[in-house]
Every structure is written in structure tokens, then in C-alpha cells.
Amino acid sequence: MGTPLVFIILAIVAIVAAIMMVTSHNAVHSALWLVLNFSTIAVFYIVLNAPFIAMVQITVYAGAIMVLFLFVIMLLGAEQLRGPGGATGGERIQRFVAGVLGLLLLAAIGLMLFTTEGTGTAVASLPTLDSSPQALGFALFENYVFPFEVTGILLIAAIIGVAVFSLRKTKKRGEQA
Amino acid sequence: MTVTVEWYIALSVILFTIGAVGVLVRRNAIIIFMCIEMMLNSANLLFVAFARQLGDIDGQVLVFFVIVVAAAEVAVGLALIVTIFRTKRSINIDEINLMKG
């Protein structure tokens, strides 16, 4: 049907947003390009029959994480910092080597993709899996209870860590006064 | 020409490579952080594509966990960057080269 067209359009938007994010001189522009990239990936999740994960992606990634990034960028005034232009000699060599390595990685994966036998079946024609929140909850709480609890501990550790980071400075001021 | 799972592998690898080259090239710590997030996202896309391909919901459960870990890591990492900025007044990673202070 029209699925190659949808995939190609979404893929072009995602790749262009990614390249613009990496090469933008302004940090706020980079963050906004990344929000566009995340939203396109969320649309990919919907195409791949994962609507709950798509909504989680938009809510957590594009909604919370990118807002946190934008807050920190505004707080530090990072949009005024130097972009990738005006490189010194050493930086130019680094950039060239990074580009070569990236092309090598792409070539290696491309070689693997084009020489091995493909699966041949369209993704859209496969039987759809039950990806409702109920099915996800059953899988999460029947098979993955232990990682679930561990991520709870991880989140508490992260929250306490961030609070300690922001507490230390004011405590020092109190002791010096 | 149908959309097979190799198309998703190719897209995920392209996004991952753009993120990896971004980490190597950029000097601003926050942009490097955002490129790391994009690499995590490309892996998530591959997880969901293979969950669809193999008919197994476990791929989406793993994406759930990756998103949770990424959120926690972003919070702690940005707190670190803010703390470094308080003393060094710069987040250019070329200037954060002393272990003290």
C-alpha cells in the first residue's frame, strides 16, 4: 500500500532533525530539533503497533526530559556558547576522524544488511501483537517484576542524588556565614 | 518494495551513527548529552521493531525500562553539569580537564 511512502517520509524527517540537532550552533535550536526527532520516533512506534510506548515516549522523553534540558540550557545561558564553527587545527582533525569512523560504521552495517538474506516479509503484514496497556502490564508484572523493583530503587537513588547535589552549595554558604 | 525489518535496522543505525558522531564532534556538554539520548532512542526503535517482527511483547517492556533509566540518567547528569558550571563557569568539555575543583 502506501507504507513505504509513510516510512520514507518519517525517516527523512527523523534523519534531518538528527543532523540539524548535531550541527546547530544554538543549543536551544538543538533541543527543539531533538524534540522533533523524538516525536517522529513516537509516530514510528504507532506505525509499529506500540501505541502505549508511543505515548510514554511523548510524555516522558519529549515532555519531561527535553523540558529539563531546556531548563538547564536557559539556566546556564548555554545558547551563547560557541558552536561547532571556528575550529582549531586539532579540532579539525578530530572532526575528520569522527566522520571517517561514522562512515565506517555505516558501511559495516550496510554491508551486513545487503549481503545477508532478508526476512522478505513486510512488517505491516505480520500478525499484530497485543500491545494494549493490559498486555504490557501482564508481561511487566509476571516476568519482569524484579527489574521493575530495581528501577524503582534506581529512581529513588537518582532523586536523592539530585537533591544532594543542589543542597551542598547552600549548606556551605550557611557554614561560612 | 515492502517495508521489511531491515529498513528499521538501517534507520536505527543511521540515527545511532549521527548521535555517535555528535558525541565525538561537539564541545558543549549539554549537546553531547542530547546526542547520547538520541543513541538510546535509536536502540528503543530497534527494540520496538523487533517486538513487532517476532510477535513478542518483551521488546516493548524493555523499551519501558530503557526510557526509565534514561530519565534517571538525564536528571543526575544535568545536575552534575549544573554543579560543574557553578565552579568552572563553562561547560566546554575541553576546559573541564582538572580532577580537582
Side-chain angles (χ1 to χ4, degrees):
Chain A
M1 279 192 356
T3 40
L5 185 65
V6 169
F7 180 89
I8 288 174
I9 290 177
L10 286 175
I12 288 178
V13 171
I15 293 175
V16 164
I19 293 178
M20 293 302 297
M21 189 273 283
V22 168
T23 60
S24 179
H25 287 246
N26 190 338
V28 177
H29 291 177
S30 287
L32 294 178
W33 281 117
L34 194 60
V35 170
L36 177 65
N37 191 28
F38 285 164
S39 309
T40 313
I41 302 290
V43 177
F44 266 122
Y45 291 165
I46 295 180
V47 169
L48 284 169
N49 195 26
F52 182 71
I53 299 289
M55 291 304 124
V56 166
Q57 162 100 356
I58 290 185
T59 308
V60 172
Y61 252 118
I65 291 182
M66 289 319 296
V67 168
L68 194 57
F69 265 114
L70 281 167
F71 267 132
V72 172
I73 289 174
M74 304 286 191
L75 178 70
L76 304 185
E79 72 263 12
Q80 303 156 3
L81 290 179
R82 196 169 56 95
T88 63
E91 276 185 23
R92 234 172 248 143
I93 296 177
Q94 286 172 0
R95 211 171 287 168
F96 176 70
V97 172
V100 166
L101 289 176
L103 285 174
L104 265 178
L105 183 62
L106 279 177
I109 304 291
L111 195 68
M112 185 273 297
L113 278 177
F114 281 120
T115 54
T116 59
E117 279 183 26
T119 49
T121 59
V123 175
S125 68
L126 290 169
T128 65
L129 71 153
D130 181 20
S131 60
S132 60
Q134 288 93 335
L136 214 58
F138 273 128
L140 186 64
F141 289 111
E142 281 181 4
N143 302 328
Y144 293 98
V145 179
F146 183 65
F148 177 75
E149 303 296 335
V150 168
T151 51
I153 297 177
L154 176 78
L155 284 173
I156 287 185
I159 291 174
I160 293 179
V162 170
V164 164
F165 264 127
S166 54
L167 256 179
R168 206 181 289 154
K169 183 79 175 180
T170 55
K171 198 173 157 197
K172 255 191 193 159
R173 276 207 202 115
E175 286 171 354
Q176 283 172 1
Chain B
M1 184 162 49
T2 57
V3 177
T4 61
V5 79
E6 283 89 9
W7 291 42
Y8 286 101
I9 296 179
L11 175 65
S12 168
V13 164
I14 289 174
L15 288 178
F16 186 88
T17 311
I18 293 175
V21 169
V23 168
L24 291 174
V25 165
R26 293 302 299 257
R27 291 287 167 264
N28 192 343
I30 294 185
I31 309 268
I32 291 177
F33 220 159
M34 289 200 281
C35 294
I36 293 176
E37 291 305 309
M38 195 159 69
M39 289 198 276
L40 283 169
N41 233 24
S42 76
N44 278 350
L45 178 64
L46 209 54
F47 269 130
V48 173
F50 272 107
R52 177 79 166 89
Q53 168 82 7
L54 303 174
D56 201 353
I57 197 79
D58 288 350
Q60 299 188 12
V61 175
L62 233 63
V63 166
F64 205 67
F65 285 128
V66 170
I67 290 180
V68 166
V69 169
E73 154 219 340
V74 162
V76 174
L78 286 178
L80 262 173
I81 288 177
V82 167
T83 310
I84 290 176
F85 184 77
R86 271 181 184 155
T87 48
K88 300 278 296 181
R89 283 291 146 190
S90 159
I91 49 176
N92 189 358
I93 59 167
D94 284 336
E95 298 168 14
I96 307 175
N97 53 6
L98 300 171
M99 276 304 281
K100 55 175 179 159

